[in-house]
Amino acid sequence: MNETTLTPWGGSKKLQRALDDAGLDVRACFQCGRCSSGCPLAAFYDLLPMEIIRLCAYGMEDELMKCHTIWLCASCETCTTRCPNDIDIAGTMDLLRQWALDRGYEPAEPNIAAFHRSFLNSVRRGGRTYELGMIGEYKLRSGDLFGDFKLGMRMFGKGKLNLVPKSIRGKKDVRKIFARTTKEK
């Protein structure tokens, strides 16, 4: 990065601009810790939600892209609900995951990134998730072809997995949204 692309703290102005463009005002955080104390997965994170928000405010792209937290976040929105400044912390985690994928960063949690891509591709293609197709794509991406084969067979036997995707109205509209906002991976 050259000097014109850096924040005063040495961070990425592009990341800060992307957060601003998405309406994610991370600089409003005063580090009260409510997001982190309410997070049901915080014990598994390498950085707490409040630390993620601080790094975003500083534009510290490299540190954010190397962390496990953005991939482990379940997007349950507990952090967002607890924030006294109405910062969409779960939305910030979503933006950071997509930022990492779009810019070719190696995900700290490759299987979660593979699932993320498979899920989004399923919605892109059919307007909603088609579980069997999504699972197939995830299995190919992750390389774990038979890890939970018995569970899949039980689900299939109970009619929980459809052989053919259900159709919805508005598939073309969903594809247009994806075309405007993401790159297919």
Side-chain angles (χ1 to χ4, degrees):
M1 286 189 239
N2 64 43
E3 287 183 38
T4 60
T5 63
L6 298 177
T7 65
W9 305 280
S12 164
K13 282 186 178 179
K14 286 183 180 180
L15 176 59
Q16 283 190 327
R17 204 166 320 133
L19 290 161
D20 290 343
D21 290 349
L24 300 167
D25 185 13
V26 294
R27 290 180 296 275
C29 178
F30 53 75
Q31 298 287 289
C32 69
R34 290 186 67 183
C35 57
S36 299
S37 66
C39 178
L41 296 175
F44 303 99
Y45 292 165
D46 54 345
L47 295 172
L48 294 172
M50 63 187 264
E51 293 171 314
I52 294 290
I53 297 303
R54 179 55 48 156
L55 289 173
C56 285
Y58 289 155
M60 304 304 287
E61 182 177 336
D62 290 337
E63 290 82 351
L64 288 163
M65 297 300 106
K66 292 175 186 170
C67 80
H68 293 260
T69 301
I70 64 174
W71 298 104
L72 295 174
C73 172
S75 297
C76 69
E77 299 195 9
T78 302
C79 52
T80 300
T81 303
R82 293 177 57 88
C83 181
N85 292 328
D86 296 323
I87 300 169
D88 185 358
I89 300 163
T92 302
M93 298 286 192
D94 288 339
L95 183 138
L96 292 172
R97 281 189 291 269
Q98 199 58 49
W99 183 271
L101 293 175
D102 289 348
R103 279 150 188 79
Y105 282 95
E106 185 65 35
E109 296 288 337
N111 285 345
I112 295 172
F115 184 86
H116 179 82
R117 287 179 176 126
S118 301
F119 175 82
L120 289 178
N121 285 339
S122 179
V123 174
R124 178 185 289 119
R125 282 188 296 268
R128 65 183 304 271
T129 57
Y130 167 50
E131 290 87 358
L132 196 56
M134 181 186 69
I135 292 167
E137 181 177 337
Y138 167 71
K139 291 296 189 178
L140 290 172
R141 283 182 181 277
S142 69
D144 179 21
L145 300 177
F146 301 105
D148 48 8
F149 183 75
K150 287 181 183 178
L151 174 63
M153 292 308 294
R154 280 200 329 252
M155 290 177 67
F156 185 74
K158 292 183 178 192
K160 302 292 183 184
L161 298 173
N162 296 316
L163 285 176
V164 180
K166 292 183 179 173
S167 188
I168 66 160
R169 282 183 262 138
K171 272 194 254 188
K172 288 180 184 177
D173 295 328
V174 173
R175 286 188 194 126
K176 286 178 187 175
I177 292 168
F178 274 96
R180 284 193 318 261
T181 58
T182 64
K183 301 173 193 171
E184 191 163 350
K185 299 279 180 187

